[in-house]
Amino acid sequence: MNMKLITIFYVCFILFVIALANQGELGILAVIVYEVPYTDKLGHFILMGLLAFFLNLSLKCSTISILNSTFLKGSIIILILVTLEEISQLLVETRTFDLMDLFADYLGIFVFGRLALYFNARFA
């Protein structure tokens, strides 16, 4: 299957989950996330990490230079969007802004970005 198509489907899935969370409609998933310790943070790590992974592979791990450092374009895009989404939770009654969620997002973006580099070098 085409990596860009996988990325599009995954973005749609993430948007669907965010919409459900904003409406307070996560159902049994919310029970699991809030009852099992660290499930929420693990979810952030994996969901945003996979998003960065798929986008970076779709972009063939292209990079940009910022202040003499090189970054994956896909990771930068996801980092910005995730930051904006987490901040937007301050405006949504059914959501809660959490710096630890943001940290888990960032960690997932970094780890899965490195994994995308490995996959791109090995299988491209």
Side-chain angles (χ1 to χ4, degrees), residues 72-111:
L72 290 166
K73 283 182 186 176
S75 291
I76 294 296
I77 291 167
I78 300 305
L79 184 125
I80 291 167
L81 293 175
V82 162
T83 302
L84 292 173
E85 196 283 326
E86 190 68 35
I87 290 169
S88 77
Q89 292 180 24
L90 293 168
L91 307 172
V92 180
E93 188 176 309
T94 57
R95 304 292 302 275
T96 305
F97 173 83
D98 186 343
L99 278 175
M100 290 307 292
D101 286 352
L102 199 53
F103 176 74
D105 292 336
Y106 290 169
L107 187 60
I109 292 165
F110 175 78
V111 169

Tab-separated table of all heavy atoms in Angstrom, residues 72-111:
chain	number	residue	atom	x	y	z
A	72	LEU	N	13.769	16.495	10.767
A	72	LEU	CA	12.844	15.876	9.822
A	72	LEU	C	11.640	16.793	9.625
A	72	LEU	O	11.030	17.243	10.600
A	72	LEU	CB	12.381	14.517	10.342
A	72	LEU	CG	13.421	13.416	10.363
A	72	LEU	CD1	12.939	12.239	11.201
A	72	LEU	CD2	13.727	12.960	8.940
A	73	LYS	N	11.296	17.064	8.368
A	73	LYS	CA	10.157	17.940	8.071
A	73	LYS	C	8.865	17.408	8.694
A	73	LYS	O	8.102	18.162	9.299
A	73	LYS	CB	9.961	18.087	6.564
A	73	LYS	CG	10.915	19.010	5.894
A	73	LYS	CD	10.591	19.118	4.403
A	73	LYS	CE	11.649	19.932	3.687
A	73	LYS	NZ	11.394	19.973	2.235
A	74	GLY	N	8.632	16.115	8.519
A	74	GLY	CA	7.410	15.523	9.063
A	74	GLY	C	7.322	15.674	10.568
A	74	GLY	O	6.261	15.979	11.114
A	75	SER	N	8.444	15.484	11.249
A	75	SER	CA	8.455	15.616	12.712
A	75	SER	C	8.174	17.049	13.137
A	75	SER	O	7.429	17.280	14.099
A	75	SER	CB	9.796	15.148	13.280
A	75	SER	OG	9.937	13.753	13.123
A	76	ILE	N	8.734	18.012	12.419
A	76	ILE	CA	8.488	19.426	12.745
A	76	ILE	C	7.013	19.766	12.532
A	76	ILE	O	6.395	20.431	13.368
A	76	ILE	CB	9.397	20.357	11.907
A	76	ILE	CG1	10.862	20.162	12.293
A	76	ILE	CG2	8.979	21.819	12.061
A	76	ILE	CD1	11.205	20.542	13.717
A	77	ILE	N	6.450	19.295	11.437
A	77	ILE	CA	5.032	19.550	11.154
A	77	ILE	C	4.159	18.966	12.263
A	77	ILE	O	3.272	19.646	12.795
A	77	ILE	CB	4.633	18.969	9.773
A	77	ILE	CG1	5.310	19.757	8.659
A	77	ILE	CG2	3.112	18.951	9.595
A	77	ILE	CD1	5.240	19.092	7.285
A	78	ILE	N	4.404	17.714	12.629
A	78	ILE	CA	3.599	17.069	13.670
A	78	ILE	C	3.820	17.741	15.019
A	78	ILE	O	2.873	17.955	15.775
A	78	ILE	CB	3.903	15.548	13.745
A	78	ILE	CG1	3.585	14.875	12.414
A	78	ILE	CG2	3.136	14.895	14.890
A	78	ILE	CD1	2.168	15.102	11.908
A	79	LEU	N	5.053	18.129	15.326
A	79	LEU	CA	5.349	18.806	16.585
A	79	LEU	C	4.535	20.096	16.698
A	79	LEU	O	3.938	20.371	17.747
A	79	LEU	CB	6.845	19.110	16.666
A	79	LEU	CG	7.294	19.721	17.973
A	79	LEU	CD1	8.411	18.875	18.563
A	79	LEU	CD2	7.753	21.132	17.772
A	80	ILE	N	4.488	20.870	15.631
A	80	ILE	CA	3.718	22.122	15.649
A	80	ILE	C	2.225	21.836	15.820
A	80	ILE	O	1.552	22.455	16.653
A	80	ILE	CB	3.987	22.940	14.363
A	80	ILE	CG1	5.425	23.461	14.368
A	80	ILE	CG2	2.985	24.091	14.223
A	80	ILE	CD1	5.889	24.011	13.029
A	81	LEU	N	1.700	20.890	15.032
A	81	LEU	CA	0.267	20.580	15.109
A	81	LEU	C	-0.134	20.018	16.471
A	81	LEU	O	-1.178	20.389	17.018
A	81	LEU	CB	-0.115	19.605	13.986
A	81	LEU	CG	-0.029	20.172	12.573
A	81	LEU	CD1	-0.320	19.082	11.548
A	81	LEU	CD2	-0.978	21.353	12.401
A	82	VAL	N	0.696	19.147	17.017
A	82	VAL	CA	0.404	18.548	18.322
A	82	VAL	C	0.424	19.620	19.410
A	82	VAL	O	-0.418	19.614	20.313
A	82	VAL	CB	1.421	17.414	18.618
A	82	VAL	CG1	1.470	17.065	20.067
A	82	VAL	CG2	1.091	16.192	17.783
A	83	THR	N	1.374	20.528	19.318
A	83	THR	CA	1.449	21.619	20.300
A	83	THR	C	0.192	22.478	20.239
A	83	THR	O	-0.413	22.789	21.278
A	83	THR	CB	2.705	22.474	20.055
A	83	THR	OG1	3.864	21.642	20.134
A	83	THR	CG2	2.806	23.601	21.079
A	84	LEU	N	-0.225	22.836	19.033
A	84	LEU	CA	-1.440	23.637	18.873
A	84	LEU	C	-2.674	22.894	19.368
A	84	LEU	O	-3.548	23.484	20.012
A	84	LEU	CB	-1.615	24.050	17.406
A	84	LEU	CG	-0.578	25.034	16.865
A	84	LEU	CD1	-0.760	25.225	15.360
A	84	LEU	CD2	-0.649	26.359	17.595
A	85	GLU	N	-2.738	21.592	19.085
A	85	GLU	CA	-3.895	20.799	19.530
A	85	GLU	C	-3.943	20.718	21.051
A	85	GLU	O	-5.007	20.863	21.651
A	85	GLU	CB	-3.843	19.398	18.911
A	85	GLU	CG	-5.155	18.638	18.980
A	85	GLU	CD	-5.462	18.052	20.345
A	85	GLU	OE1	-4.523	17.639	21.048
A	85	GLU	OE2	-6.655	17.993	20.714
A	86	GLU	N	-2.809	20.510	21.685
A	86	GLU	CA	-2.795	20.419	23.150
A	86	GLU	C	-3.179	21.768	23.766
A	86	GLU	O	-3.958	21.817	24.712
A	86	GLU	CB	-1.415	19.969	23.649
A	86	GLU	CG	-1.382	19.625	25.119
A	86	GLU	CD	-2.161	18.373	25.499
A	86	GLU	OE1	-2.200	17.408	24.711
A	86	GLU	OE2	-2.739	18.348	26.603
A	87	ILE	N	-2.667	22.866	23.209
A	87	ILE	CA	-3.022	24.200	23.716
A	87	ILE	C	-4.514	24.474	23.510
A	87	ILE	O	-5.175	25.071	24.364
A	87	ILE	CB	-2.150	25.285	23.046
A	87	ILE	CG1	-0.707	25.154	23.544
A	87	ILE	CG2	-2.700	26.682	23.326
A	87	ILE	CD1	0.293	25.990	22.773
A	88	SER	N	-5.068	23.990	22.394
A	88	SER	CA	-6.492	24.213	22.117
A	88	SER	C	-7.386	23.560	23.164
A	88	SER	O	-8.532	23.968	23.347
A	88	SER	CB	-6.860	23.692	20.722
A	88	SER	OG	-6.976	22.273	20.720
A	89	GLN	N	-6.853	22.592	23.881
A	89	GLN	CA	-7.645	21.925	24.915
A	89	GLN	C	-8.001	22.866	26.065
A	89	GLN	O	-8.941	22.603	26.818
A	89	GLN	CB	-6.906	20.693	25.442
A	89	GLN	CG	-6.797	19.612	24.399
A	89	GLN	CD	-6.063	18.394	24.894
A	89	GLN	OE1	-6.003	18.128	26.086
A	89	GLN	NE2	-5.495	17.640	23.974
A	90	LEU	N	-7.267	23.966	26.182
A	90	LEU	CA	-7.609	24.972	27.188
A	90	LEU	C	-8.968	25.603	26.901
A	90	LEU	O	-9.614	26.138	27.804
A	90	LEU	CB	-6.528	26.062	27.227
A	90	LEU	CG	-5.154	25.625	27.721
A	90	LEU	CD1	-4.107	26.698	27.425
A	90	LEU	CD2	-5.195	25.301	29.214
A	91	LEU	N	-9.403	25.526	25.650
A	91	LEU	CA	-10.659	26.139	25.226
A	91	LEU	C	-11.820	25.151	25.143
A	91	LEU	O	-12.948	25.552	24.865
A	91	LEU	CB	-10.472	26.802	23.856
A	91	LEU	CG	-9.308	27.799	23.740
A	91	LEU	CD1	-9.121	28.223	22.297
A	91	LEU	CD2	-9.543	28.988	24.648
A	92	VAL	N	-11.545	23.858	25.361
A	92	VAL	CA	-12.575	22.827	25.211
A	92	VAL	C	-12.935	22.284	26.593
A	92	VAL	O	-12.082	21.760	27.310
A	92	VAL	CB	-12.079	21.680	24.289
A	92	VAL	CG1	-13.141	20.610	24.146
A	92	VAL	CG2	-11.676	22.231	22.929
A	93	GLU	N	-14.200	22.411	26.941
A	93	GLU	CA	-14.668	22.050	28.277
A	93	GLU	C	-14.416	20.581	28.639
A	93	GLU	O	-14.126	20.258	29.785
A	93	GLU	CB	-16.167	22.354	28.370
A	93	GLU	CG	-16.739	22.203	29.757
A	93	GLU	CD	-18.189	22.622	29.796
A	93	GLU	OE1	-18.489	23.733	29.318
A	93	GLU	OE2	-19.003	21.837	30.304
A	94	THR	N	-14.499	19.699	27.662
A	94	THR	CA	-14.357	18.266	27.934
A	94	THR	C	-12.906	17.795	27.908
A	94	THR	O	-12.651	16.606	28.100
A	94	THR	CB	-15.154	17.442	26.899
A	94	THR	OG1	-14.696	17.785	25.582
A	94	THR	CG2	-16.640	17.708	27.022
A	95	ARG	N	-11.953	18.705	27.676
A	95	ARG	CA	-10.543	18.332	27.573
A	95	ARG	C	-9.727	19.038	28.646
A	95	ARG	O	-10.163	20.029	29.219
A	95	ARG	CB	-9.988	18.701	26.187
A	95	ARG	CG	-10.719	18.131	24.997
A	95	ARG	CD	-10.619	16.631	24.835
A	95	ARG	NE	-9.266	16.129	24.715
A	95	ARG	CZ	-8.574	16.065	23.584
A	95	ARG	NH1	-9.111	16.485	22.457
A	95	ARG	NH2	-7.359	15.577	23.578
A	96	THR	N	-8.519	18.525	28.873
A	96	THR	CA	-7.621	19.098	29.874
A	96	THR	C	-6.227	19.229	29.284
A	96	THR	O	-5.662	18.239	28.809
A	96	THR	CB	-7.551	18.186	31.120
A	96	THR	OG1	-8.865	17.958	31.609
A	96	THR	CG2	-6.707	18.814	32.205
A	97	PHE	N	-5.680	20.427	29.316
A	97	PHE	CA	-4.302	20.648	28.890
A	97	PHE	C	-3.380	19.949	29.884
A	97	PHE	O	-3.560	20.044	31.088
A	97	PHE	CB	-3.999	22.148	28.845
A	97	PHE	CG	-2.559	22.450	28.570
A	97	PHE	CD1	-2.074	22.455	27.272
A	97	PHE	CD2	-1.679	22.724	29.607
A	97	PHE	CE1	-0.737	22.736	27.015
A	97	PHE	CE2	-0.344	23.004	29.359
A	97	PHE	CZ	0.123	23.007	28.061
A	98	ASP	N	-2.374	19.237	29.361
A	98	ASP	CA	-1.460	18.498	30.225
A	98	ASP	C	-0.061	18.517	29.609
A	98	ASP	O	0.149	17.981	28.520
A	98	ASP	CB	-1.957	17.054	30.372
A	98	ASP	CG	-1.174	16.227	31.362
A	98	ASP	OD1	-0.039	16.621	31.740
A	98	ASP	OD2	-1.671	15.169	31.757
A	99	LEU	N	0.881	19.133	30.317
A	99	LEU	CA	2.259	19.192	29.818
A	99	LEU	C	2.878	17.804	29.677
A	99	LEU	O	3.696	17.578	28.796
A	99	LEU	CB	3.126	20.056	30.742
A	99	LEU	CG	3.039	21.556	30.527
A	99	LEU	CD1	3.855	22.302	31.587
A	99	LEU	CD2	3.510	21.941	29.142
A	100	MET	N	2.485	16.876	30.515
A	100	MET	CA	3.025	15.514	30.406
A	100	MET	C	2.507	14.822	29.148
A	100	MET	O	3.229	14.015	28.556
A	100	MET	CB	2.717	14.699	31.663
A	100	MET	CG	3.496	15.172	32.882
A	100	MET	SD	5.291	15.284	32.615
A	100	MET	CE	5.714	13.570	32.432
A	101	ASP	N	1.276	15.113	28.746
A	101	ASP	CA	0.776	14.594	27.462
A	101	ASP	C	1.626	15.147	26.322
A	101	ASP	O	2.011	14.409	25.408
A	101	ASP	CB	-0.687	14.994	27.234
A	101	ASP	CG	-1.673	14.219	28.083
A	101	ASP	OD1	-1.251	13.249	28.758
A	101	ASP	OD2	-2.859	14.590	28.088
A	102	LEU	N	1.917	16.433	26.399
A	102	LEU	CA	2.729	17.073	25.365
A	102	LEU	C	4.138	16.481	25.338
A	102	LEU	O	4.686	16.212	24.271
A	102	LEU	CB	2.774	18.580	25.603
A	102	LEU	CG	3.161	19.481	24.453
A	102	LEU	CD1	2.307	19.224	23.214
A	102	LEU	CD2	3.060	20.941	24.875
A	103	PHE	N	4.694	16.221	26.514
A	103	PHE	CA	6.014	15.593	26.583
A	103	PHE	C	5.986	14.199	25.954
A	103	PHE	O	6.886	13.832	25.198
A	103	PHE	CB	6.500	15.507	28.035
A	103	PHE	CG	7.807	14.788	28.175
A	103	PHE	CD1	8.993	15.389	27.791
A	103	PHE	CD2	7.845	13.496	28.671
A	103	PHE	CE1	10.208	14.722	27.908
A	103	PHE	CE2	9.046	12.817	28.796
A	103	PHE	CZ	10.232	13.435	28.412
A	104	ALA	N	4.931	13.421	26.246
A	104	ALA	CA	4.790	12.082	25.656
A	104	ALA	C	4.657	12.183	24.136
A	104	ALA	O	5.233	11.370	23.401
A	104	ALA	CB	3.592	11.352	26.261
A	105	ASP	N	3.910	13.189	23.661
A	105	ASP	CA	3.801	13.434	22.213
A	105	ASP	C	5.180	13.697	21.616
A	105	ASP	O	5.559	13.095	20.608
A	105	ASP	CB	2.906	14.646	21.930
A	105	ASP	CG	1.449	14.432	22.265
A	105	ASP	OD1	0.993	13.274	22.289
A	105	ASP	OD2	0.756	15.443	22.498
A	106	TYR	N	5.918	14.620	22.224
A	106	TYR	CA	7.242	14.989	21.715
A	106	TYR	C	8.194	13.799	21.710
A	106	TYR	O	8.939	13.604	20.749
A	106	TYR	CB	7.855	16.110	22.556
A	106	TYR	CG	7.205	17.473	22.418
A	106	TYR	CD1	7.538	18.490	23.289
A	106	TYR	CD2	6.260	17.748	21.434
A	106	TYR	CE1	6.968	19.752	23.186
A	106	TYR	CE2	5.677	18.994	21.323
A	106	TYR	CZ	6.036	19.999	22.201
A	106	TYR	OH	5.468	21.247	22.095
A	107	LEU	N	8.161	13.022	22.782
A	107	LEU	CA	9.028	11.852	22.862
A	107	LEU	C	8.680	10.849	21.764
A	107	LEU	O	9.573	10.301	21.099
A	107	LEU	CB	8.926	11.203	24.245
A	107	LEU	CG	9.891	10.083	24.547
A	107	LEU	CD1	11.338	10.556	24.444
A	107	LEU	CD2	9.621	9.526	25.942
A	108	GLY	N	7.379	10.623	21.537
A	108	GLY	CA	6.951	9.729	20.465
A	108	GLY	C	7.374	10.233	19.103
A	108	GLY	O	7.844	9.462	18.259
A	109	ILE	N	7.242	11.536	18.878
A	109	ILE	CA	7.646	12.131	17.600
A	109	ILE	C	9.136	11.924	17.378
A	109	ILE	O	9.573	11.551	16.286
A	109	ILE	CB	7.275	13.633	17.562
A	109	ILE	CG1	5.753	13.789	17.518
A	109	ILE	CG2	7.934	14.334	16.380
A	109	ILE	CD1	5.265	15.196	17.833
A	110	PHE	N	9.933	12.126	18.402
A	110	PHE	CA	11.383	11.956	18.287
A	110	PHE	C	11.757	10.496	18.023
A	110	PHE	O	12.477	10.188	17.072
A	110	PHE	CB	12.095	12.461	19.543
A	110	PHE	CG	13.570	12.209	19.520
A	110	PHE	CD1	14.409	13.013	18.768
A	110	PHE	CD2	14.116	11.148	20.216
A	110	PHE	CE1	15.771	12.768	18.716
A	110	PHE	CE2	15.477	10.891	20.182
A	110	PHE	CZ	16.312	11.700	19.423
A	111	VAL	N	11.237	9.586	18.859
A	111	VAL	CA	11.596	8.159	18.738
A	111	VAL	C	11.138	7.588	17.400
A	111	VAL	O	11.909	6.928	16.696
A	111	VAL	CB	11.015	7.349	19.920
A	111	VAL	CG1	11.140	5.857	19.690
A	111	VAL	CG2	11.699	7.763	21.225
